Amino acid sequence: MISYPYDNYLSCTWGRWNIFFLFFAFLLRVGLLITGLSMNIVEKKFLEQLRARSLVENGERVLVAVSGGPDSMAMLSLFCAVRPVLHCELAVAHCNFQLRGTESDADEGFVRDHCLSLGLECFVERFDTLWFAAEWKKSVEETARILRYTFFEQVVQEGGFNKIAIGHHVNDNAETILFNLFRGVSLSGLRGIRALHGKTIRPMLLLHKVDILAYLREKGIVCRIDTSNLANDYDRNFIRNRVIPLIEERFSHKLLPSLRRLSEQAGELEEFLEGYFENLFEREPGLSLTDGQLDVHALQRLTVFEQKEVFKRALRDMDALVDAQALQKLVDLLTTQQGKMVMAGRQLQVIWKGGKLCFLHHVPDA
């Protein structure tokens, strides 16, 4: 076979490119290895959680919610530490609820300056929270939560972000479970905080508060302290500052692990129930709210537990409050007769009409 000089040139050139790519891949591996070795225990644990739960994929754009407090500042530092491995893009979102006067403004300035030092884009929104609370007739806590997540969703959509990261940890999850328990929620409410819900991720749910504070000290990270968290005026603060420490004092190191197991089991139960009721609705179309109606005879063939689960989904579809009292009223309605009516909340009437339960929005008289 005759070998032409051009063929030899191509062969040599291709060989050189192969060597170049192999060398580049080697350098990349070495770089990632060095990055991994330079991480401390908390950073490695954080990276493991991101990967194990598929919270952030390589190359994704992550919006990090930062208040300036210990939890969010630690989370931002953790994301910066794992960024070379995940090749993710970071930006920051901050809410100024204007509830603490100059303190709120100082928090905003602190977060802006910190982002500037890290070279990160910072999205900030100011809210007249007290005005919205009065307008919506909601608590300040609930109003701030709605404003916060509405703002985050807007930035995520307009900025093309894949995920929004929130700094909730083990202690926050315990607070949420106890808070829900005291409010009288159903079993699914004991699931607590989800690590992944839509585009919202909470990658610190396996970290304890003491681990976070130790990490901040080790890294020398400065943070802001929200003095309103020290007062017990709000229910969550009372649970955090009084209830949990009291239980932990009596049952040392048992409460948080127990609540975490309860949260996981409630999550598993919720997933099972979702699959179960999807199949049930396919078999019995009359159990799925259609034109504001449910089939009475199909409901009466169910157990009380199943009836309540169907009613929960119907109430959510009607944007109505789901609570134990409303669910029991609806279950009791099935044991009466046609023409009977109950109020499932202040603005929702449910009437037994023919073979249907009719869900009707009702505006009470002023």
Side-chain angles (χ1 to χ4, degrees):
M1 180 176 177
I2 301 174
S3 176
Y4 294 97
Y6 183 70
D7 294 333
N8 290 334
Y9 171 77
L10 286 177
S11 177
C12 292
T13 303
W14 180 245
R16 291 191 190 99
W17 276 110
N18 270 339
I19 293 171
F20 172 78
F21 284 127
L22 287 171
F23 183 65
F24 178 77
F26 171 75
L27 289 178
L28 185 60
R29 274 179 167 272
V30 170
L32 292 176
L33 179 61
I34 292 173
T35 301
L37 291 173
S38 66
M39 290 184 191
N40 65 20
I41 294 174
V42 177
E43 290 165 347
K44 289 178 181 177
K45 188 175 181 179
F46 183 76
L47 179 60
E48 287 171 6
Q49 283 306 301
L50 291 176
R51 285 177 161 168
R53 300 191 178 196
S54 301
L55 300 181
V56 177
E57 303 294 338
N58 284 355
E60 285 193 323
R61 303 190 70 217
V62 181
L63 183 67
V64 185
V66 178
S67 66
D71 306 334
S72 61
M73 290 296 289
M75 181 175 64
L76 180 58
S77 176
L78 289 167
F79 265 113
C80 289
V82 303
R83 179 170 50 174
V85 179
L86 294 178
H87 305 290
C88 56
E89 296 182 37
L90 302 177
V92 167
H94 174 80
C95 297
N96 183 344
F97 295 108
Q98 302 186 83
L99 292 172
R100 295 176 292 117
T102 56
E103 278 191 35
S104 295
D105 295 337
D107 290 347
E108 178 187 326
F110 173 80
V111 173
R112 285 185 185 274
D113 291 342
H114 189 67
C115 290
L116 189 62
S117 69
L118 295 174
L120 298 178
E121 188 173 7
C122 183
F123 299 89
V124 175
E125 187 70 27
R126 294 185 168 202
F127 303 102
D128 188 347
T129 311
L130 294 178
W131 183 88
F132 280 109
E135 185 73 12
W136 296 343
K137 295 181 174 56
K138 294 182 180 292
S139 69
V140 173
E141 282 182 294
E142 178 66 11
T143 300
R145 189 189 71 81
I146 295 171
L147 292 171
R148 178 190 300 119
Y149 285 103
T150 301
F151 169 58
F152 290 161
E153 184 178 342
Q154 177 186 342
V155 176
V156 165
Q157 290 179 350
E158 294 178 358
F161 292 95
N162 304 101
K163 302 287 171 55
I164 168 70
I166 312 294
H168 290 131
H169 48 75
V170 169
N171 303 62
D172 291 321
N173 195 35
E175 290 170 23
T176 299
I177 293 171
L178 290 175
F179 181 71
N180 289 343
L181 181 64
F182 297 149
R183 286 197 307 167
V185 296
S186 61
L187 284 174
S188 62
L190 299 181
R191 178 173 185 166
I193 302 172
R194 303 183 187 189
L196 174 63
H197 186 61
K199 291 188 175 184
T200 302
I201 61 172
R202 295 174 175 87
M204 301 211 299
L205 277 181
L206 290 184
L207 294 179
H208 289 76
K209 185 72 173 184
V210 291
D211 299 325
I212 293 170
L213 295 177
Y215 175 75
L216 291 170
R217 287 193 297 270
E218 179 184 340
K219 291 291 184 178
I221 298 172
V222 179
C223 56
R224 299 278 299 172
I225 300 299
D226 184 346
T227 55
S228 66
N229 287 333
L230 305 177
N232 295 321
D233 300 336
Y234 299 120
D235 291 336
R236 284 184 178 272
N237 288 3
F238 181 77
I239 292 170
R240 180 189 312 123
N241 300 331
R242 297 286 298 278
V243 176
I244 290 178
L246 182 62
I247 299 174
E248 284 281 272
E249 183 181 336
R250 179 72 178 181
F251 304 97
S252 181
H253 305 299
K254 291 183 179 179
L255 177 65
L256 298 187
S258 297
L259 289 177
R260 179 182 160 192
R261 285 194 298 273
L262 177 63
S263 175
E264 291 172 350
Q265 291 166 3
E268 292 165 1
L269 175 61
E270 186 178 20
E271 289 176 10
F272 167 78
L273 290 176
E274 285 301 319
Y276 175 83
F277 281 98
E278 280 182 17
N279 293 332
L280 180 63
F281 291 157
E282 287 180 7
R283 298 196 309 269
E284 294 278 0
L287 295 174
S288 183
L289 194 69
T290 304
D291 298 327
Q293 297 180 343
L294 293 176
D295 187 87
V296 171
H297 298 300
L299 283 165
Q300 289 175 330
R301 288 193 293 268
L302 303 178
T303 65
V304 171
F305 177 82
E306 290 172 317
Q307 290 172 355
K308 288 183 177 181
E309 288 296 320
V310 171
F311 286 139
K312 281 180 197 174
R313 287 156 176 76
L315 291 174
R316 290 194 196 108
D317 288 344
M318 297 295 294
D319 294 323
L321 178 67
V322 179
D323 60 23
Q325 186 178 8
L327 293 175
Q328 191 59 51
K329 282 184 179 180
L330 293 172
V331 169
D332 292 342
L333 179 61
L334 292 173
T335 64
T336 59
Q337 59 187 4
Q338 293 188 39
K340 292 291 185 179
M341 182 273 291
V342 297
M343 295 296 297
R346 293 181 65 251
Q347 299 184 0
L348 187 66
Q349 287 181 337
V350 183
I351 304 172
W352 183 344
K353 198 173 184 180
K356 305 289 184 181
L357 289 188
C358 303
F359 290 70
L360 305 170
H361 283 295
H362 168 73
V363 179
D365 296 332

